[in-house]
Amino acid sequence: MTLEAIFWGAVLLVVYAYAGYPCLLAALAQVSTLRVQKRRITPRATLIITAHNEERRLKEKIDNSLAQDYPPHLLDIIVASDCSTDRTDDIARSYGDRVRLVRALERRGKEAAQQLAIAGAPGDILIFSDVATALDAGAVSSIVSNFADPSVGCVSSVDRFVDEDGRVSGEGAYVRYEMWVRALETRVNSLVGLSGSFFAARREICRQWAVDRQSDFTTLLNAVERGWRGVLDPETAGYYRNIADTRRESQRKIRTVVRGIAVLARNARMLNPVRYGLFAWQLASHKLCRWLVPFAMAAAAAANAALAPQSAFYGAALAAQIAFYGAAVVGATTGARALRIPAYLVTSNGAILVAWVRFAFGDRMTSWTPSDRLAALPRTARVKTLG
């Protein structure tokens, strides 16, 4: 394989992962669009809040959950404590019969705690939410209404950032991009991933719950395996603040990708287009190709460096790459707004590369520490809290 083939192959992979795939989705959406038949329904639902040492934020989260406009006698709230050692369990118990506490006797991870809650959950629709995520008063009603469509097996919320005053702020470019891609996937066929901070699924999908695998990704794959699809509900949002420490955000990204790779490896059969059709292409494009980008970036840089002395074109291309990575370094160290995109692309792909290394050495990162977001839940004009 020549250096030019390596260079252009790597460049094409990067372009396809970030631009080619969504453009093809947009083209398919013009030919055929699947609509979600939403309508008000009120099946028995269970809201599962997973927590580990969340004494600072749990009360606000429970109050926010109790303020939902869903019929109270049809909504059960369960706090799944992953062997918390602070006042988390006491706070949950203080709500009496309005909130049920399920406690893991040993710390085994988020999914293991969720499994305990699922075992005791009476709802036909199971809703999962993180402690750090605030919901509109109508969020549960909105997300449940998607299940009026018999083709829908699971539903993802959209992610919304809020500032320190609790006001909805401008989302980062990547979040807007990701929500756009998910909206296109919903129109064409199915989502490939759910928002782990707030999603819902039919109970049948959660019967075979894997305690060692990422629950949001696995739930989506289970739904597709059983003939349903996952959808994005643009009218249902989970509100949260950015992680205060950028190093912790990088660790969160590494953990997410390590666990995602593990799920994909266990479900590699779903990359077979003969059996899974359009979804196999989506899975390969959205997940696998995206996770291969750091290798493509490294290959493009190395091949370009070797080709630069041979022609002015490759010399200019190398200069452009150097400028891009230089801008990323400046953006990451100074926080300059104009350089956020190159900074994000480089740091996020660096985290993906680290995730591959950790996965290769057998690390599956099943234990978890909740994201270090600000202690108070985000508040918005539409989010009600009690007392």
Side-chain angles (χ1 to χ4, degrees), residues 15 36 51 59 64 76 86 135 141 173 183 187-188 199 206 243 245 280 296 318 331 340 367 380:
V15 172
V36 180
K59 184 181 185 303
N64 177 251
D76 302 279
D86 63 358
L135 310 179
S141 295
R187 291 172 59 189
V188 170
F199 70 93
C206 303
I243 294 176
D245 188 336
L318 182 60
R340 284 183 181 177
S367 64
T380 72

Side-chain angles (χ1 to χ4, degrees), residues 36-289:
V36 180
Q37 305 301 319
K38 289 182 65 175
R39 63 179 174 84
R40 173 80 174 185
I41 56 173
T42 54
R44 187 76 176 267
T46 300
L47 175 59
I48 297 172
I49 304 167
T50 315
H52 173 72
N53 290 352
E54 287 284 8
E55 63 180 6
R56 296 181 303 163
R57 300 181 292 194
L58 184 59
K59 184 181 185 303
E60 283 192 82
K61 175 62 179 179
I62 293 176
D63 288 345
N64 177 251
S65 302
L66 289 170
Q68 291 296 306
D69 66 8
Y70 204 79
H73 65 289
L74 294 174
L75 178 63
D76 302 279
I77 299 175
I78 297 178
V79 173
S81 173
D82 185 23
C83 197
S84 296
T85 57
D86 63 358
R87 295 183 57 252
T88 293
D89 297 359
D90 293 335
I91 292 170
R93 290 191 189 100
S94 71
Y95 285 84
D97 59 5
R98 291 184 297 169
V99 175
R100 180 182 174 190
L101 171 68
V102 175
R103 174 181 169 81
L105 297 180
E106 60 178 325
R107 191 179 179 195
R108 296 175 56 206
K110 182 177 184 178
E111 283 72 22
Q114 289 173 331
Q115 184 187 53
L116 290 176
I118 291 169
D124 297 315
I125 303 298
L126 303 183
I127 306 162
F128 301 86
S129 182
D130 290 343
V131 172
T133 304
L135 310 179
D136 288 335
V140 168
S141 295
S142 180
I143 204 167
V144 169
S145 68
N146 291 273
F147 294 101
D149 188 328
S151 72
V152 173
C154 54
V155 185
S156 176
S157 66
V158 295
D159 298 332
R160 289 284 183 267
F161 287 123
V162 296
D163 60 24
E164 292 185 5
D165 296 321
R167 295 172 300 193
V168 179
S169 61
E171 287 84 5
Y174 175 76
V175 173
R176 293 196 302 271
Y177 165 81
E178 187 64 24
M179 294 303 107
W180 172 61
V181 173
R182 291 187 184 187
L184 289 172
E185 289 177 334
T186 298
R187 291 172 59 189
V188 170
N189 183 36
S190 170
L191 290 181
V192 177
L194 305 172
S195 176
S197 61
F198 182 31
F199 70 93
R202 297 184 188 272
R203 184 179 186 84
E204 300 93 308
I205 293 170
C206 303
R207 292 192 187 279
Q208 295 180 319
W209 195 260
V211 299
D212 60 344
R213 278 171 267 168
Q214 196 175 41
S215 59
D216 48 316
F217 191 13
T218 300
T219 297
L220 185 282
L221 296 181
N222 287 344
V224 173
E225 188 81 81
R226 289 163 174 74
W228 282 299
R229 67 187 184 112
V231 300
L232 176 75
D233 184 359
E235 298 174 351
T236 302
Y239 298 89
Y240 59 93
R241 290 176 175 153
N242 278 324
I243 294 176
D245 188 336
T246 55
R247 288 174 298 179
R248 288 184 179 269
E249 169 61 21
S250 179
Q251 287 301 312
R252 184 202 65 81
K253 177 73 172 178
I254 292 169
R255 178 177 180 273
T256 298
V257 175
V258 167
R259 305 187 77 223
I261 294 170
V263 172
L264 184 59
R266 293 286 292 270
N267 294 275
R269 66 187 182 283
M270 299 186 76
L271 293 168
N272 181 359
V274 175
R275 181 175 178 183
Y276 294 94
L278 188 62
F279 182 78
W281 166 69
Q282 290 182 265
L283 184 60
S285 299
H286 195 152
K287 295 295 186 180
L288 184 58
C289 287

